[in-house]
Amino acid sequence: MQLIDGKAVAEQVKQEIAAQVAAMVERGEKRPHLAAILVGHDGGSETYVAAKVKACEVCGFKSTLIRYESDITEDTLLAKVAELNNDPDVDGFIVQLPLPKHINEQHVIEAIDYRKDVDGFHPINVGRMSIGLPCFISATPNGIMELLKRYNIETRGKKAVVLGRSNIVGKPMASLLMQKSNPGDCTVTVCHSHTANIKEECLQADIIVAALGQPGFVKADMVKEGAVIIDVGTTRVPDATKKSGFRLSGDVQFDEVAPKCSFITPVPGGVGPMTICSLMKNTLLAGQKAIYK
Ligand code: GUN
């Protein structure tokens, strides 16, 4: 069994980005600039956004954090989105999700100029990704593809099972794994809350991507010997031994599953660091106007 060290790969990718940024600045080009909008004080969102700002520093990007209290109106938020769309200094920006219930997330996502949508959530980017055109690809599935590539994991002709059908992870993951590319060329099955025979589907899988948000869902008796296991789960579970009072739990019962695998990602330190790193990659591409002019 080989552990997939997402933290180490993410550090390496960020150094590669930093080198490219240094070269851009050397040539007199503009430093890429990522803006992030954070609404409210959700603990997970605070942590993720702080990590994104820190990653910008490591990569040599300019970053701007815009904060609002959770009672902000949808109109005020949409006005800020329009302002960032029109700000030539901002290459890309994100609105951290989830948003408070009174704000329609889809309205906000669709208000973002797709050319600055470094999260890859706008329907234009989602649509372009699904037919294999250049676009901003959603960070978590893109980070997973990078891990498969850097660990030389064979995907061609393999059976992949994606657990979860979210717009952010499950759906784009399935799309990327089935694409005519390397990594890619998988036969993909997507399982969700209404799938009748999840255990049987998983037992046939060469690659399982678990993105359900259910701690410990994937158990040893669901995994074929030699399978590749990618754990996207990051549920906060109470843990009195931690200073924060919680620990992150993956969707995979790591202790019992790991001995059966060829490769497995740990939680934390697997997929999580790669997600932020993919956002940095998209910001670099936005700064270089490499996808859209
Ligand atoms: N919430 C959870 N993951 C993400 C992400 O990748 N981007 C944004 N904007 N919000 C999120």
Side-chain angles (χ1 to χ4, degrees):
M1 183 275 292
Q2 194 177 347
L3 203 59
I4 297 179
D5 189 344
K7 191 157 181 266
V9 174
E11 289 310 319
Q12 194 182 327
V13 174
K14 282 185 281 187
Q15 290 311 319
E16 291 166 12
I17 294 172
Q20 289 197 58
V21 172
M24 286 167 74
V25 172
E26 185 85 6
R27 292 193 295 268
E29 297 168 20
K30 184 177 143 334
R31 201 177 276 285
H33 180 186
L34 175 71
I37 301 179
L38 174 58
V39 179
H41 298 273
D42 172 78
S45 294
E46 292 266 6
T47 307
Y48 291 134
V49 170
K52 289 170 185 180
V53 169
K54 178 145 179 280
C56 281
E57 256 175 60
V58 174
C59 293
F61 298 155
K62 178 176 172 184
S63 71
T64 303
L65 173 58
I66 300 145
R67 301 194 68 130
Y68 291 106
E69 291 303 322
S70 50
D71 60 357
I72 183 187
T73 65
E74 186 173 308
D75 282 349
T76 307
L77 184 56
L78 289 173
K80 186 49 136 181
V81 167
E83 187 188 315
L84 295 174
N85 282 342
N86 292 317
D87 183 343
D89 193 58
V90 173
D91 297 294
F93 66 98
I94 63 157
V95 179
Q96 187 66 26
L97 305 179
L99 290 169
K101 292 273 177 292
H102 65 280
I103 297 176
N104 183 319
E105 283 186 356
Q106 203 55 33
H107 285 170
V108 177
I109 288 169
E110 291 186 43
I112 297 172
D113 185 329
Y114 68 93
R115 293 164 296 188
K116 294 192 178 188
D117 168 40
V118 283
D119 259 334
F121 292 169
H122 190 285
I124 290 180
N125 281 311
V126 176
R128 290 178 65 91
M129 183 206 62
S130 76
I131 56 173
L133 295 175
C135 63
F136 292 120
I137 299 172
S138 181
T140 301
N142 208 18
I144 292 169
M145 296 301 275
E146 192 66 32
L147 286 177
L148 294 172
K149 193 190 294 177
R150 294 204 181 216
Y151 276 83
N152 288 316
I153 293 171
E154 182 65 71
T155 58
R156 178 162 302 153
K158 302 294 184 191
K159 180 173 168 62
V161 166
V162 177
L163 301 176
R165 55 176 159 182
S166 69
N167 290 343
I168 292 181
V169 184
K171 284 183 196 138
M173 189 76 248
S175 192
L176 290 171
L177 285 170
M178 79 167 85
Q179 223 149 55
K180 208 175 184 60
S181 62
N182 183 24
D185 289 330
C186 289
T187 303
V188 182
T189 302
V190 179
C191 297
H192 49 74
S193 49
H194 290 269
T195 302
N197 50 348
I198 288 196
K199 183 174 170 185
E200 289 69 23
E201 293 289 355
C202 288
L203 272 169
Q204 289 181 41
D206 302 303
I207 301 166
I208 297 177
V209 179
L212 293 159
Q214 288 189 41
F217 181 89
V218 177
K219 309 221 166 27
D221 66 356
M222 298 166 72
V223 175
K224 184 167 83 171
E225 202 67 45
V228 175
I229 305 290
I230 307 293
D231 190 350
V232 185
T234 51
T235 308
R236 289 180 164 197
V237 297
D239 186 340
T241 68
K242 299 280 182 210
K243 204 167 74 184
S244 61
F246 67 84
R247 67 188 152 80
L248 290 183
S249 176
D251 286 352
V252 177
Q253 200 73 52
F254 185 90
D255 294 352
E256 58 176 64
V257 171
K260 295 186 83 173
C261 301
S262 54
F263 293 89
I264 187 167
T265 60
V267 174
V271 173
M274 287 305 292
T275 296
I276 291 175
C277 181
S278 301
L279 174 67
M280 298 298 115
K281 197 73 184 278
N282 279 348
T283 303
L284 177 67
L285 293 171
Q288 294 171 329
K289 303 278 180 280
I291 294 174
Y292 304 115
K293 293 296 160 226

